[in-house]
């Protein structure tokens, strides 16, 4: 489990690239303006920042759960087992996509070796492979969720974290968290998404990866909402809201017929006319 936490920490390659991209946008011009003033590029930079915040918070949450389980008896061992696999899958996949988008922010310079940026992207690409590939960990997640009350425990923890009934790591907060009206919308979106997840978990033999990534995305949303509820900072609230609009992955609905037929033909033959 601790190795999976370290994988989440290594996923923070994107933090460095995001800082460089924001600095580069202040000096690079296009369409007669510096690109940091263009709404579309502002969206891209905001997405990079939000996704990196999500990776940090869910990795911190997992680290607290794994290393202090004896201090959080309200969390069952199944929560630690499932989230260890889910957070590793999710942070690795998101890190790769974030680095790819980050390189685009530099245009052609992002492809040049002397900038050091391509090396960061290559390093990130190993994250979905080591300490368990995405398919292997997805199967491990589905198997763990099928044991006892694991599915109920994990989804309950995500809901309680988002609702403010506990803070990162499952710790009970001693004070009273003030209600935050701007968080009502992302909280509603997260609850609707968790309902979709429960339905997807009923039959996920062929969609285990999207379900595992979905749980990871929901967990990231809960950590962002929880953190924003605690800090009450506008940027943290905005990150939670943006994640629930852009970070919740689509849940696939696949059956055996969708998969088996395409694999029956082993090769594609071309005939000259």
């Amino acid at each position: 489990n601790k190795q999976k936490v370290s994988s989440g920490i290594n996923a923070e390659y994107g933090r460095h690239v995001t800082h460089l991209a924001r600095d580069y946008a202040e000096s690079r011009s296009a369409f007669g303006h510096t690109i940091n003033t263009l709404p579309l590029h502002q969206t891209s930079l905001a997405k990079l920042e939000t996704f990196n915040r999500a990776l940090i918070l869910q990795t911190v949450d997992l680290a607290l759960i794994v290393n202090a389980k004896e201090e959080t008896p309200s969390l069952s061992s199944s929560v630690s087992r499932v989230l260890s696999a889910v957070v590793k899958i999710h942070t690795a996949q998101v890190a790769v996509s974030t680095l790819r988008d980050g390189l685009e922010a530099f245009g052609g310079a992002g492809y040049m070796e002397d900038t050091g940026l391509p090396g960061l992207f290559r390093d990130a690409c190993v994250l979905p492979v080591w300490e368990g590939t995405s398919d292997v960990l997805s199967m491990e997640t589905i198997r763990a969720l099928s044991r006892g009350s694991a599915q109920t425990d994990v989804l309950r923890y995500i809901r309680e974290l988002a609702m403010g009934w506990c803070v990162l790591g499952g710790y009970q907060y001693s004070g009273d968290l003030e209600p935050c009206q701007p968080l009502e919308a992302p909280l509603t979106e997260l609850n609707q998404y968790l309902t979709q997840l429960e339905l997807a978990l009923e039959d996920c033999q062929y969609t285990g990866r999207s379900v595992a990534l979905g749980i990871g995305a929901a967990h990231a949303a809960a950590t962002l909402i929880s953190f924003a509820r605690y800090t009450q900072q506008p940027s943290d609230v905005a990150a939670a809201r943006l994640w629930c609009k852009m970070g919740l992955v689509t849940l696939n609905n696949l059956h055996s017929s969708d998969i088996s037929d395409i694999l029956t033909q082993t090769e594609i033959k071309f005939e000259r006319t």
Side-chain angles (χ1 to χ4, degrees), residues 15-29:
R15 168 59 59 187
H16 179 56
V17 173
T18 299
H19 285 315
L20 292 176
R22 295 181 67 173
D23 183 65
Y24 180 77
E26 294 178 0
S27 57
R28 177 73 170 89
S29 296

Side-chain angles (χ1 to χ4, degrees), residues 84 87 93 97 113 129 135 175 177 185 187 201 205 220 229 232 242 248:
S84 293
V87 170
Q93 293 287 346
S97 64
E113 289 290 343
V129 179
D135 280 351
L177 292 176
L187 187 57
L201 282 164
Q205 185 177 1
R229 191 186 301 278
Q232 300 279 315
L242 187 59
L248 297 177

Side-chain angles (χ1 to χ4, degrees), residues 163 179-191 229 241:
M163 292 292 293
C180 186
Q181 187 65 32
L183 289 175
E184 292 303 316
L187 187 57
T188 299
E189 292 179 33
L190 175 59
N191 283 325
R229 191 186 301 278
R241 296 174 65 178

Side-chain angles (χ1 to χ4, degrees), residues 172-228:
Q172 300 301 313
Y173 184 59
S174 57
D176 293 324
L177 292 176
E178 294 293 330
C180 186
Q181 187 65 32
L183 289 175
E184 292 303 316
L187 187 57
T188 299
E189 292 179 33
L190 175 59
N191 283 325
Q192 293 173 348
Y193 187 75
L194 289 172
T195 301
Q196 297 176 33
L197 263 178
E198 289 178 326
L199 295 174
L201 282 164
E202 294 177 1
D203 183 14
C204 55
Q205 185 177 1
Y206 291 92
T207 57
R209 181 187 283 217
S210 71
V211 168
L213 285 171
I215 297 173
H219 175 248
T223 60
L224 285 164
I225 293 172
S226 174
F227 190 69

